[in-house]
Amino acid sequence: MLKALELCRQHPVLPDYQLRRQLRLHKKLIKAEHMKGEEIRSFLFSILGDGDSEKTLRLMHETEILEQVLPEFGLAHCKVNHDFYHHYTADEHSLRIIRFLEEMESAILSNPTDLVTIYKEYPNKKTLKFAALLQSAGTLSGMDGESGLTGFLKFIGDRLHLKTDEKELLEFLIKNIYEMVETALHQDIHQSTVIQKFAQIVDNQE
C-alpha cells in the first residue's frame, strides 16, 4: 500500500477510485505500532520534502492511511476549533497550511525581505510542515497544561526517533503557535517593542 503511494509520488498521478477504495478498505494493514520509528520518520519526511507534499498527504488522509501512519494526526480528524483563527476543521486547516507553504515556492519575489524569500531560504521546511500536521494535536491529545503538551511532543519525538534539532523546533512551533498568530495579526510588527518581545521568544534567527 505504501508502495502504491510511493509510485503515485514518483510519477505524479492520482489513483483512480478503485485504487482509492482498496487503499481505504485495507488501511488497517498499516499500523504505526508495527512500524519502526525510523521507518515512519523516513517515510513521512520523504513526502514532506516534496514541493507538492500536500497532494500526497491529502490522498493519504482521504484514504485514512495518514492516520494509520501518524495516529497523532488522527486526533484532528473533523475536529472543530472554536476560535477566531480556524475557519476549517483541524485536519483541513493543517493540510491548507502545508499547501500555502508550498505555493510560496513558486511565488514571484517582490523584495528580498518578504515572506517568500525567507521561506525559500529556510533550511528546515520538512520540520515546519510536520509541525503544521500536528498543530492541533497537542490541544486534542487530552494531556492538560504545559507539562502535558511537553510530554505529548516528547512522546512523538521519541517514537519517531526525531533528531534533537527537529524535536526542539517542533516543540517551539507548536507551543508558540498562538503567540505567533497573535503577533502577526494583532500587533504592529514594525514597533520596536513588539519586535523585541517576539525576539525574546524566538531566541535565535532561525
Side-chain angles (χ1 to χ4, degrees), residues 24 27 30-33 44 57-78 91 95 159:
R24 182 188 286 267
K27 64 184 180 183
I30 301 174
K31 292 187 177 181
E33 59 265 29
L44 287 174
L57 293 169
R58 185 173 292 279
L59 170 62
M60 292 175 65
H61 181 37
E62 290 173 352
T63 55
E64 300 180 7
I65 290 177
L66 183 55
E67 290 85 337
Q68 296 295 114
V69 176
L70 188 65
E72 293 83 2
F73 178 78
L75 295 172
H77 183 66
C78 290
D91 50 346
L95 294 173
R159 183 172 73 81

Side-chain angles (χ1 to χ4, degrees), residues 10-23:
Q10 292 176 359
H11 312 278
V13 294
L14 292 175
D16 61 15
Y17 76 94
Q18 291 179 322
L19 180 54
R20 287 173 182 261
R21 182 172 181 273
Q22 290 302 314
L23 289 171

Side-chain angles (χ1 to χ4, degrees), residues 111-201:
N111 66 71
T113 60
D114 67 13
L115 185 60
V116 172
T117 304
I118 294 171
Y119 178 72
K120 286 187 174 183
E121 296 176 353
Y122 187 61
N124 298 311
K125 295 184 182 70
K126 295 179 185 179
T127 309
L128 182 61
K129 294 180 190 178
F130 187 60
L133 275 182
L134 297 175
Q135 53 97 18
S136 293
T139 56
L140 296 170
S141 66
M143 301 176 74
D144 296 330
E146 182 77 7
S147 60
L149 179 57
T150 300
F152 176 74
L153 294 172
K154 183 179 186 304
F155 171 77
I156 295 173
D158 292 344
R159 183 172 73 81
L160 300 185
H161 296 270
L162 298 182
K163 299 175 183 177
T164 300
D165 59 332
E166 293 170 344
K167 290 180 182 179
E168 291 175 351
L169 179 57
L170 180 66
E171 182 172 347
F172 169 79
L173 290 170
I174 293 181
K175 280 188 174 182
N176 293 283
I177 183 170
Y178 285 105
E179 183 69 34
M180 289 186 280
V181 170
E182 179 67 23
T183 301
L185 298 182
H186 301 293
Q187 301 289 331
D188 182 354
I189 60 174
H190 299 290
Q191 288 284 343
S192 59
T193 54
V194 174
I195 295 172
Q196 290 173 1
K197 179 183 176 182
F198 192 69
Q200 290 174 351
I201 296 172

Side-chain angles (χ1 to χ4, degrees), residues 79-123:
K79 296 294 184 180
V80 177
N81 287 314
H82 299 283
D83 58 39
F84 176 77
Y85 307 113
H86 292 82
H87 295 176
Y88 306 96
T89 56
D91 50 346
E92 178 65 18
H93 190 78
S94 291
L95 294 173
R96 283 175 178 259
I97 291 174
I98 293 174
R99 185 173 69 187
F100 170 77
L101 291 172
E102 293 177 344
E103 285 175 346
M104 286 198 290
E105 289 278 16
S106 58
I108 299 174
L109 304 181
S110 57
N111 66 71
T113 60
D114 67 13
L115 185 60
V116 172
T117 304
I118 294 171
Y119 178 72
K120 286 187 174 183
E121 296 176 353
Y122 187 61

